[in-house]
Every structure is written in structure tokens, then in C-alpha cells.
Amino acid sequence: MDLRKRHQLHQAVDRGIRWLIAGLVLLFILYPFIMVFKEALMSTNHFMTVSEMGEFVLANQSLIKNSLLVATTTSILATTLSVGISLYYFLAPNWLQRGLSLLFMITMISPPFVSSLAYIHLFGRRGFISHQLLHLTWNPYGAHGIIMMQTLGYLSLNTLLLIGFLKAMDKSVVETAQSLGADTNHILLDIILPLMHRGIVIVASLTFIRSLADFGTPSIIGGSFKVLATEGYLNVIARGNIQEAARINLLIFIPAMLVFILYTHYLKDLTNRDHGNPAGKFSLRRQGWLFQLVRVISILLIGALILQYLSIIMNGFTVRYQGKSSLSLANIYESRPYISSTFIRSIVYALIAGVVGSFLSFTLVYYSQVRQIKWMKWIDFIAMMPYIMPGTFFGLGYIFAFSKSPLKLVGTSLIVVLNVTFKQLAFATKMASGSLSQINPELYQSTHDLGGSYLNELKDVVFPLSKEGLYVAFINGFTSTMTTIGSIIFLIYPSQKVATLVLFDLVQSGKYRLASVIACYIMLICLTANGLYYLVLKWMKKVRGNVSIR
Amino acid sequence: MYLSVNHLSKWYGDYEALRDITFEVKEGELLAVLGPSGCGKSTLLRCLGGFEPVQSGDIYLNHERITDLPPELRPVATVFQSYGLFPHMTVLENVKYGLKFLSLSRQEATKKALAMLERVELAQYAHQAIHDLSGGQQQRVALARSLVIEPDLLLLDEPLSNLDAKLRVSMREEIKRIQQDLHITTIFVTHDQEEAFSMADTILLMNQGNVVQTGSAIDIYEHPAEVFVLDFIGKSNLLAENCYVRPEKIRMGLPTKNQPAQGEICQVVFKGEIIEYDIHCFDGSNLSVVTLNQSDYLFQVGTKVCLSYTEKTLGG
């Protein structure tokens, strides 16, 4: 083909891709988002007045109070404790760091309700610790249960994030303090904690948003203690009042959005200031009251995390007969009817979401960040929105947006796949942004200089040089799809169930042992995917090493 | 001796980063550790600062064995390449930080820190944030912060590498002035020969984890111990296995009756104050010659020249 014609064709395709991505993001993120607002604020034939809004808020005052109480307490607790563990991790010897990293990775990629399931198993009315060991009669259900389990549930991700911040810290700052005579206590208090404060705010914000949107934990162990998220969920499932559900989700969205603004501010600030030398390993002495304190906290919490997962595994492999527990494979046999095609479907959905989501986000970020196309920055921003939307908010949006023709998708598998794919764009675009900022801009110029087009930039520079980022985005998309529930719970018809929904049904109907088996299966699949990712990464590094030697 | 380093060795797994390092430094002396990238000079500095444990050997400072002391207990202060300034503290707070471990009252500490800031001519910036300062100013804050605690030994890791060429020259003089004023024993690491020559009393030259030669700038330049030193320090013409001549020591002239031509100029590089010539000698060898730009006459490519020089022997 003539060079000029080829160039024109490439330009047209390039424009087409841009418009296609923008159209998809607008249709599958912004449109459902607007529809929730519309449905929530539309009262029969007019928009809600301010006084109607006031009345609605007043009517749900106690729910708002409960939600804010749980979210605030959980964020404070989960953040404080994860700061403690991350500091302990940083002072720990190498072998312990490796073990802890593995533990946090495993506990981070777990399905929902695992905390609640373990809590019921250990501390429930017939719980292993509360009933069998301590012979206690207490009510495990209520705000305390939710806070405890959410705190434990968010611990791993928070700690991993904070470890990331610590690792990015300028090593020479800490070593300078050492050389000026500061001991471990002073270094932690005067240097590391103040420098971590941005990371701490980010982690606290994320925890707040996640806690506010979590309906699974309160619906299982909340008992009579109701929060906005559970009410939003019950309004759809039990009462069929989706307008009320939309309004409640809006109530969750507002504080989440405010906290998100704080989050983005600190995140931006953090990237601006991040110009230190990477930390590597500190050689701080493991001594001082602060180190002892974080050590005790960490050992207790790490113990709780291990106990939590062991209890799930044990629960899956034991049966109780005449008051006694014994090892058995009975639960695995019994779980077979619940699995059937569910797991294949879940894996297929997760694979599609992982692959499409990662490529879509990298292409989108290429246009907004590398090509600096102004309006694509808005599309990029819209793609970030699912980050702050509670899962049920996003799911409701899909019901409102895609229940009428010509866009009638409700009841199809496609709507579920689209939902999980576009929901994870928020994380994947962040990943893409970090990954693409590592690419030397001159490579793009060289592509054009040698006769390439914009399409070649994508094909020959962006994708080949972002392999690692693409893998991470894929694995995250896969894992989050395998473990997600909030956004798809309203979209899935009984005949198209995915694994997390089966798990949720089993927990709700009190079949905890079978639920544990399903939870184990989900964990196993996610761990296998993550394991494969590490093997691929290792292999890639080896190949790259060989290339550089040559 | 004020600082004695005896048979120091450092391994990273199978890789020997420092091999049996031994040297001494007098009180108030400024020693430059010079060497190419990866020769172990920064590792040596980190071992002296206590940031890296050593597998064998001893470090004595002021007659006290400090080999196993952690950094916070060593009377040694380090200024890192990236300065290690605390970004969440002001200039004054940075300089005061080390004083809080010396049981001084707050007022005394402030007074001392301000005095040190005055010495480095930064008193007017005392209450400014670190990121408001220029690179050179940040360098001086880092220096002031290490000096104010009056360490027995000051370590500087490539202290000028983040500064532009002009600032580097003025900071060399500044550091030297402060070091002499305070009579503080200092070791600084550099890969820049000019920096080492212009600042140091003594130079310790390293290669592949070994100390290759120690001595004054003149010693090292005029009496290189081995081929590596000859190659690394300045330019040279290796004539035979152990014989060499520096390009500036060769006298070059037009041939006469008594002195026939020995070679022909094949390249001329005009560098302003000096001129570099590449000569192809008639015996098949090549020589590099450097002359000062003193006369109006410039030898041209193709000119036949006669040369005179005295051969020197390595290690001699």
C-alpha cells in the first residue's frame, strides 16, 4: 500500500479507537451513574425538592449515623493497626518479611465474607472459641462484630499499601538520622511516621470508602444493627423498591466522594514529592518501646489473620456429628451441586474482564496521558468514578440504564461482563498511568521519526513496554471479578450465578461449612492465577536478563 | 593515628566488595577516596559510617574501636549524595535535629544551629522549607547539619555530584574552607579526579575493591604505582610494559639538521588553553602530546615533528 494511504488509514483507525473507548466509557460508566442520580432524585413526575431531600435524610438519620460510625471507627482502627504492622514489617529480618508478604498477598486476594464466615465459626453463638473453648454465651452480632471483621478484612491491603509507601521513602533520610545519633524510637517517631502521613491519609480514605459501601459484612454479622449499605441492598432484593435503594446509595456516595477528594489530593501530592532514592533495606536496630509495641500488635493481628483463614479451611474439611467435629470430605461432595457450571462461568467472566479491562485502560491512558488529548482526560476521570461508587450503586445504575430497549441488556451474561470490566477500569487506569509514565517519551518520537504512525506507538511501544503493568492490571481484574459481589448481585439471574453469589447464598442460609468450601475454591483459583503471574514475571525477567547479556 | 582502618573486608554473597582495605588518616586531614564506578568507594564509606556490617577487619577512631557500633553510636556523621534532608522540617529544624541527642537545652541547640547556619551563610533561610532552597543551598544545609554535632569524623558521599559545574567549583572551595576552619577530619568519596586533586590532602585510589595507591595528588600523578593508576589519573603514553610518558611532558618542535623528524601529526584538537596532538611516529607507535596555547604558531596535520622526552617507570 502507498505510504501516504497507509498513514491516512492508520490515522482513521486511531481516531476510531479513541471515539470507541470514549463512547464505551460514557455508556457503561457515566450513563449508569447519571441514571442512579435521575432515579434517586426523580419523584413521580418532578425532581425532589430540597425539603423532600431533607425529609429523606432525616428519615434515614440513624442509618447514616450507624454507617458513619462504623466507617469512621473501622478506618481509624484498620489504619492505626496497619501502620503498626507495616512498621514491624520494615524492621523485620528478611525471612520474616518474605513470609509476611506472602501472608498479606494471600489474605488480600480472598473472596468476600471470609472474615464474617470465620468470625461466625470462631466467635458465633456455637463458635469454636466463644462456645467450645470458653463456654461463653454472648451476642456476636452488632456494630462491634462489623467493625472487628472489617478491620481485619482491610488489614492486608492497607499494610501492603503502607509497605509500598515505606519502600519508596528516601533511604538516605533515615540513614542521615541514624548518623546524627537518632535511635530506632526517634527515627520512627521523628522521621518515618511524619513522612508516612500522606500514605496514612490515603489508606484511611480507602478504608472509609470501602467500609461505607460494604453490605456483605453488616448483612451477615450486623444482626439488628443496620447500615445504609445493607438497607440499599435489602430495598432491591427484599422490598423491590429500587428507587429507595438508589436514594440510599446516593447517601453513601456523598461522604465517599468527599473522602475521595481528600484521597486524590494526597495522592497527587505524594507523586509530586516522590523524588527520593528508593529505600531498599534499612538496618535499624530492633529495639525501643515503639518497636516492642508494634511487634506485639503485629504478632496478635497476624495470628488473627492466620486463624481466620485456618478456620475457613478447617470448617470446609470438618463435619460435626453429635457435638463432635471430625475431619471429612463430606462438605466437598455436598458442595458439588452448588458448583456445577458456576466456577467455569466465573473464570470465563474474570478472564474476559481481566484481558479487556487491562488493554482498554492502557489504551485510554495512552490517549489521555501520552497523547495529552484534553477531552480524553475527562474520559480518564470518568473511568476513575467506579472507585468511589459503592458496588451496589454501580449495579443499580446498570439496572436503570440497561433495562429498556434499544439498550436492553438486563438478564444477559453480557451485562455482568460489562459491569465487572468497567468497574475495574478505575484501578487498571491507575496502574496504566504509573506504567506509561516509565516509558521514555523519546521512544514515541523515534517511532514517528522512523516512519511509524500513532498506531505503531500503541503496538510497538506502549503494549510491549507495559507487559508487566498489563499483567498486574489483568491479575487484579481477574481477582476482583472472581471476588466481587456488590455490583453484580442485582444483575445476575438465578441461571447465571457466579461463585461469589453462591457463597453469599450459602452464608445467608446458614450453610457455613459448604460456604467455607466455596470460599476455599475461590481462594485457590485466585492464588493459582497470582502464582502463574509470578511465574510469568520471573520468566520475563530471565528472558530480559539474557537479552541484556547478549 | 586518628583513624585507622585495618584489613577491612566486605562481601555481598559471593561478591567481594572490599578486599583487605588498610589505611590511616591524620587528625584534621581531608582524604579523598577516588575510583571508577563500582570500585567499592561508597561501600567503604558506608562501612565507616556503620551502615554496612563488615565481615573482617577493624576500624579505630580516636583510639576507640568502632567496628561494631551502630551508626547512631558512632562519632561519625555522613552527608549523603542526595543530602538526606528531612522534607517535613525547616532548615533550622534539620540542622538542630542531631543536637537533640546531645543533651543540650532547646535554646542552646537553636543558638548552635543558627551559628552553624551563619557559618555556611544560610542564616536568613533558617525558617524556610527545604524544597524552597536551591541545590547548592541544600548541600550546605546538609553539611551544616552534620557539622553542628561536631563529629570526630565527617563522611561525604559524592558531595558535589548533584550540582552544576560552576557551583561545584565554588562548593569545593567552601567545603575545604569550612573543613580547615573547624579542623575536622573528613573523608569524601568522588570519581572526579579534578575534585579529589583540588580538595584533598591525601588521595586513596581504589579499584575493584582494593586500595591501589595512597598519597598526595603529586605522588599519585607523578609516581603511579601501576597501569590502572596511570590510566585513571590523567592521560599517558605507555611506551613499554613499565615505561610511560605523560603527554604534557613531551616537547615537540620542527625538525632541524641535528634533530631529524620522528613522526607526523595526524590529528589536532584545539581546546582553548591547551592543544592536543596525535602523532604517528615513524617507528610505528603513536603518541599523544599536549602543549599550552602559548604561541601564535599552531602545528598543522601532516607536519613532520621531532620529539624529546624522558621515560618514566611505573612505581618509580
Side-chain angles (χ1 to χ4, degrees), chain A residues 170-184 186-187 190-191 194-195 273 277 281 283 285 287, chain B residues 46 51 70-73 76-78 80 82-89 94 97-98 100-101 131 145-146 149:
Chain A
D170 189 345
K171 184 182 181 181
S172 68
V173 170
V174 173
E175 291 189 337
T176 301
Q178 275 182 292
S179 103
L180 294 172
D183 58 17
T184 306
H186 279 103
I187 290 172
D190 299 342
I191 312 295
L195 290 180
R273 282 156 186 270
N277 283 347
K281 179 85 183 121
S283 53
R285 286 197 291 167
Q287 56 176 220
Chain B
R46 291 180 63 76
F51 301 107
E72 61 268 33
L73 299 182
V76 178
T78 310
F80 291 95
S82 61
Y83 314 144
L85 293 169
F86 307 137
H88 57 299
M89 296 183 192
N94 261 282
Y97 187 74
K100 81 183 208 181
F101 309 110
H131 49 81
R145 184 176 62 176
S146 291
I149 58 170

Side-chain angles (χ1 to χ4, degrees), chain B residues 1-165:
Chain B
M1 212 34 102
Y2 193 67
L3 173 75
S4 295
V5 175
N6 305 319
H7 308 292
L8 211 65
S9 287
K10 168 78 191 166
W11 292 81
Y12 292 110
D14 294 337
Y15 175 68
E16 194 174 16
L18 296 179
R19 196 173 303 158
D20 198 31
I21 303 286
T22 299
F23 66 91
E24 291 180 326
V25 183
K26 287 185 226 138
E27 191 173 0
E29 192 177 8
L30 200 159
L31 176 94
V33 181
L34 179 67
S37 295
C39 70
K41 53 191 190 299
S42 282
T43 306
L44 173 63
L45 203 77
R46 291 180 63 76
C47 291
L48 294 175
F51 301 107
E52 297 285 349
V54 291
Q55 273 79 17
S56 64
D58 278 311
I59 306 165
Y60 285 91
L61 180 61
N62 211 358
H63 308 294
E64 191 198 345
R65 187 175 178 276
I66 60 162
T67 322
D68 305 317
L69 286 182
E72 61 268 33
L73 299 182
R74 291 188 189 205
V76 178
T78 310
V79 177
F80 291 95
Q81 198 173 354
S82 61
Y83 314 144
L85 293 169
F86 307 137
H88 57 299
M89 296 183 192
T90 62
V91 170
L92 182 63
E93 283 165 346
N94 261 282
V95 177
K96 250 167 63 172
Y97 187 74
L99 295 173
K100 81 183 208 181
F101 309 110
L102 297 178
S103 55
L104 289 176
S105 73
R106 231 172 239 207
Q107 283 160 332
E108 274 178 290
T110 308
K111 211 173 137 190
K112 230 176 152 188
L114 280 171
M116 186 50 77
L117 278 173
E118 248 167 52
R119 189 180 276 276
V120 295
E121 293 162 12
L122 282 176
Q124 70 270 36
Y125 298 100
H127 301 289
Q128 290 216 1
I130 288 301
H131 49 81
D132 289 338
L133 302 186
S134 68
Q137 288 167 332
Q138 289 188 0
Q139 226 287 335
R140 280 186 282 162
V141 175
L143 192 63
R145 184 176 62 176
S146 291
L147 288 170
V148 78
I149 58 170
E150 295 171 14
D152 290 348
L153 177 66
L154 177 69
L155 305 175
L156 307 170
D157 188 5
E158 306 244 8
L160 308 173
S161 62
N162 287 340
L163 307 177
D164 63 57

Side-chain angles (χ1 to χ4, degrees), chain B residues 191-228:
Chain B
H191 61 266
D192 183 339
Q193 177 202 321
E194 201 184 315
E195 205 168 283
F197 275 31
S198 59
M199 287 173 74
D201 301 313
T202 307
I203 293 166
L204 183 128
L205 192 61
M206 286 186 72
N207 186 32
Q208 295 181 334
N210 294 298
V211 173
V212 184
Q213 194 172 353
T214 313
S216 68
I218 295 174
D219 275 346
I220 288 188
Y221 191 80
E222 298 293 350
H223 309 288
E226 53 177 81
V227 176
F228 166 76

